[in-house]
Structures are given as C-alpha cells and as structure tokens.
Amino acid sequence: MASPSRSNPNYYFHWVRDSGIAVKAILSLYQSATQPAARQRYFDLLMDFADFSRHIQRTATQSPAGLGEPKFTIDGEPYSGPWGRPQHDGPAIRAIELTRLAFVLLSEGKRELVREKLYDAKLPTDSVIKTDLEYISHHWREPCFDLWEEVWGHHFFTRLLERTALIEGAALAMKLEDAGAARWYLEQSRALGDELLLHWDPGRNHLVATRELDGRPSPRSGLDSSVVAATLGGYATEEDLHPEGGCVYPVDQEQVLATAAALESTFEAMYPINDPSRRIEGTAIGRYPEDRYDGYRGDSLGNPWPSLTIAFAAYYYKLAERYLRLERAVLTSTSLPFFQRLPLEDARFRPGEELRLGDPRFDEVVFALRRKGDAFLGRVHHHINPGGSLSEQMNRFTGHQQGAPDLSMNYAAYLLAAGMSGHLPSSR
C-alpha cells in the first residue's frame, strides 16, 4: 500500500515500484533479525509478496506490453482509469529484490522453495522472477513513462534498474542451471549499458534523466534526483552491480558525483527552507527543478520529498563505504564540484589527484561524507510530524508535511539508510 490516503490524493493502491522498495526493507529486516518469531514474520511477508506479485503478473491489464501496469487495487485487481502506462521500472525493482531474496534462501538451503516460488528455469515460465526478467529483456528497448509517471521516453532510472535486474538475474539463472537464459540476460544488460552511457551531457555536466524520442529539446533541464537514487542499485542497497556485468554507474563514478553536486546546488538555492540563515543542516531534496506537483495538484510549486532527501543520505553513506572498500578516492575535473561541497576544514584538491587510505585527506573525505549523510537524515527529522509520521512532501517554505500521508516508501527508505549509517540497531 503506497499510502492509506484515499482522497486528495488517492494513493490507496499497490504500486509495483513502491512495493518493491518496501520489500527491500523487509528483506533487510529478515536478514538482520535474531529472534525466530521476528524472522518468521518477515519470511511470511516476503512469501506473501511473492504470491501476490505472481497473481498480478497473471492479471489482464490495460498496459500494451502486459507487465508494465504501474498500480493495482489493494486486493490485486487492475486499475482501470487513465494513467501513464506502461512503466517498466516496477518489474525491474521487483525482480532485483526477489532475486536477492532467492540468493538468501539458497544460502539457507531452500533450493526447492526458490524453484517453486521464485525461479523455475522453464519457458514458458510459471515463476515470478523469470517472468519479470523475460519481460525486461524483451521490452527494455521500448519507451515508457518515467517513475514520476509524467514523461514518455527512455529513462536513466528505469534502464539502470533494468540492467541491475538482468545482471543479478543472470547470476541466479546460472545458479539454477538455466545457462541459456543467463547468457541472454547478460547480452541484453551489455546493450543496456551502452545506451546508458548516452545519458551524459558534457555541456551541462550532469546525467540527463530522460532521452527524448524525436530529437527535440526538452522543456526540462534533465536534472533529476532519480538519477542519483538509481545508482544506489535500487534504493540504498549495500551491493554493487554483479561483477560479471561491470559497473556502468557506480556511486563514485565522476558523472554521478557531478550530477549529485548539481542537484544539491540547485535545490539549495530553490527552496527557502534550505536558506543557510535558518541554520538547519542538510539540504532538502526535490524531484526536479521544474516540478509543479505540490502533493495535491499539478499546476502549483513542487516541494522537497522526504524519500529523496533520505536517498541522498544513503548515497553519501554508500559512497563512504565504497571509498573505504577501494581504499582510494579519485578526483577529476568533472567530479571536483562534488568535493568542493563537502564540509572540510582545509582540504585542497586538484583534478587528477588520487587520495589513498593513509592520507589524512582521505580520512577527512570519508568523515565528511558520513557527516553529510547524517545531515540529510537530520533534515528529515527536523520536519517530521510530532507523531513521527512522514508524508510525500515537505513544504518548500515551511517544511510542513503535505501530500499523501504515511508514504510507505519514506519508511522503507529511512530504515535502509539509517541501517547503513549505523544509527539503528539490528532488528530483534
């Protein structure tokens, strides 16, 4: 359920995309749970999600390509009203999370359960993961609506997640002796990687969220927070893309760093609640500069979103983690604006430098990244409702919560990001 709100706005639906994000959090809780009762509860939720997903995969909808239907009623019936369809990011997110669940279950010796519930290595398939992977691998070249359900085209967010799903799905296929499918999925992932490289705009020094279909200039800047969210591998993951496929856009890639810096700078200047005179740490992050949806109507002024501000926290935590794992941080002329925005005492950088573990400046960068991650979470804390609830948006002038209340995506994103930061204990 995206939100319990049934009017102004009505978000009382099962959005495929939002549910995938929620399941990511549930899988994290399952893996960290130490008490049998809690572990069983999360396991039951995951199995229920797999069954429900298979049900809606089989349901006839209005989407021309089939599985691209973005939302269903809470009891699994198709939404029959007009909408931006198809959307291809939902099947990708669902495939990613259920594939990761499959690997967890395989590590627990539940191979038959995986074959029965998740991946059956047959064509035609009767399993939820392979159904999504077949859909993605045969439809990724087609345009669709973006995750904001507004723009038709080829989207960075959708395609990076599709690529992740195919690479990790190929690894699962190999594990379950479906070698032909694995080769096909990897072949498509490589072609997707080539297409993703076309989203870089050197003139604007940031990745462009959507590639237009007819070559006409877009009325938008192309700057969009979904680009940074996508590089997390599907919302605050702790894994990089499977090494067999390579990382086209890991979190430390110079073009991703440049895009993050451009977004922060833009929203810092755009939203009054980010005014430094208010002395609140952490930049509130919105969707894109031209946003006109205020949570109720589409001809107003867009606002910061808690989920995106939390996503930026996760991005900084993951970046710090990656630098520590690689034991180095590389600076380029493209990524320099990102490093110049870090809260550093007196660290000076030059393009072409490589900071290595043991260099005091490397330690300072890692510390600054974690501090900024904390600041993004702190910004959300500052504007949270007294009872702890979070709505879709934070008013750009006051910071008050508005739009759909109790957005499940907010809570899932927070659990994942706070877990990465070390601010939350393991689930009992």
Side-chain angles (χ1 to χ4, degrees), residues 243-260:
E244 286 186 31
C247 293
V248 174
Y249 287 108
V251 291
D252 63 331
Q253 206 268 355
E254 61 176 348
Q255 296 168 352
V256 178
L257 294 169
T259 304

Side-chain angles (χ1 to χ4, degrees), residues 354-420:
E354 184 174 292
L355 307 180
R356 290 194 166 271
L357 187 67
D359 183 334
R361 292 182 304 164
F362 177 87
D363 296 338
E364 193 173 354
V365 165
V366 170
F367 179 79
L369 291 171
R370 288 173 168 166
R371 178 180 165 189
K372 280 202 73 171
D374 289 349
F376 281 114
L377 286 188
R379 165 64 71 168
V380 175
H381 282 179
H382 184 82
H383 300 296
I384 202 167
N385 282 326
S389 66
L390 289 168
S391 301
E392 182 185 62
Q393 303 184 26
M394 303 180 290
N395 186 277
R396 63 162 63 195
F397 298 103
T398 66
H400 293 161
Q401 301 289 309
Q402 68 183 62
D406 288 311
L407 206 67
S408 62
M409 185 166 58
N410 288 337
Y411 303 134
Y414 184 87
L415 283 169
L416 290 161
M420 292 171 69

Side-chain angles (χ1 to χ4, degrees), residues 69-366:
E69 189 68 18
K71 66 179 183 179
F72 294 78
T73 66
I74 293 301
D75 57 359
E77 294 300 314
Y79 175 72
S80 58
W83 208 253
R85 51 169 71 91
Q87 295 173 31
H88 294 164
D89 58 331
I93 294 173
R94 182 169 59 200
I96 290 168
E97 299 316 319
L98 289 179
T99 296
R100 292 173 181 173
L101 170 62
F103 276 112
V104 171
L105 296 178
L106 287 172
S107 72
E108 297 173 351
K110 298 183 175 72
R111 190 180 186 90
E112 288 309 309
L113 178 63
V114 170
R115 286 189 178 277
E116 175 192 349
K117 287 275 191 182
L118 302 177
Y119 191 101
D120 61 10
K122 297 187 300 186
L123 277 180
T125 182
D126 193 39
S127 59
V128 60
I129 295 175
K130 192 168 176 67
T131 296
D132 279 337
L133 293 176
E134 289 296 310
Y135 176 80
I136 294 164
S137 64
H138 287 93
H139 292 279
W140 70 263
R141 296 179 187 273
E142 301 168 8
C144 62
F145 278 92
D146 67 340
L147 80 160
W148 308 131
E149 307 184 310
E150 298 171 342
V151 178
W152 179 258
H154 297 299
H155 315 293
F156 183 94
F157 178 87
T158 301
R159 286 188 153 182
L160 191 60
L161 290 170
E162 287 176 321
R163 186 172 184 272
T164 305
L166 289 170
I167 292 169
E168 298 191 8
L172 179 62
M174 286 296 294
K175 188 85 170 175
L176 297 177
E177 301 171 349
D178 195 7
R183 287 192 295 270
W184 166 251
Y185 300 150
L186 282 177
E187 179 184 323
Q188 299 310 303
S189 76
R190 294 185 186 107
L192 256 170
D194 293 339
E195 290 293 319
L196 280 162
L197 296 175
L198 301 177
H199 284 262
W200 173 246
D201 187 330
R204 287 181 274 189
N205 203 48
H206 66 74
L207 290 159
V208 176
T210 298
R211 291 183 57 219
E212 301 299 315
L213 297 177
D214 55 10
R216 292 181 300 178
S218 170
R220 292 186 184 176
S221 62
L223 194 61
D224 194 301
S225 295
S226 66
V227 170
V228 172
T231 65
L232 296 172
Y235 299 92
T237 71
E238 297 177 3
E239 306 86 10
D240 288 314
L241 297 181
H242 193 281
E244 286 186 31
C247 293
V248 174
Y249 287 108
V251 291
D252 63 331
Q253 206 268 355
E254 61 176 348
Q255 296 168 352
V256 178
L257 294 169
T259 304
L263 284 160
E264 287 181 46
S265 177
T266 298
F267 291 125
E268 185 177 69
M270 176 178 292
Y271 299 141
I273 59 171
N274 287 330
D275 189 323
S277 66
R278 298 196 179 193
R279 297 183 180 179
I280 306 170
E281 278 198 282
T283 303
I285 301 293
R287 297 194 297 176
Y288 52 87
E290 303 84 3
D291 194 1
R292 304 287 292 176
Y293 178 59
D294 67 359
Y296 309 107
R297 46 189 282 189
D299 59 352
S300 181
L301 290 174
N303 298 297
W305 286 38
S307 61
L308 292 172
T309 308
I310 293 166
F312 267 69
Y315 177 77
Y316 275 86
Y317 294 140
K318 187 170 176 66
L319 184 58
E321 175 192 280
R322 182 167 174 83
Y323 282 151
L324 286 170
R325 187 164 67 252
L326 297 175
E327 299 185 354
R328 70 179 187 278
V330 179
L331 285 77
T332 69
S333 57
T334 299
S335 65
L336 190 60
F338 178 89
F339 289 92
Q340 290 172 333
R341 289 185 58 83
L342 292 177
L344 302 169
E345 291 295 329
D346 192 31
R348 296 190 178 127
F349 305 112
R350 297 187 307 275
E353 279 192 293
E354 184 174 292
L355 307 180
R356 290 194 166 271
L357 187 67
D359 183 334
R361 292 182 304 164
F362 177 87
D363 296 338
E364 193 173 354
V365 165
V366 170

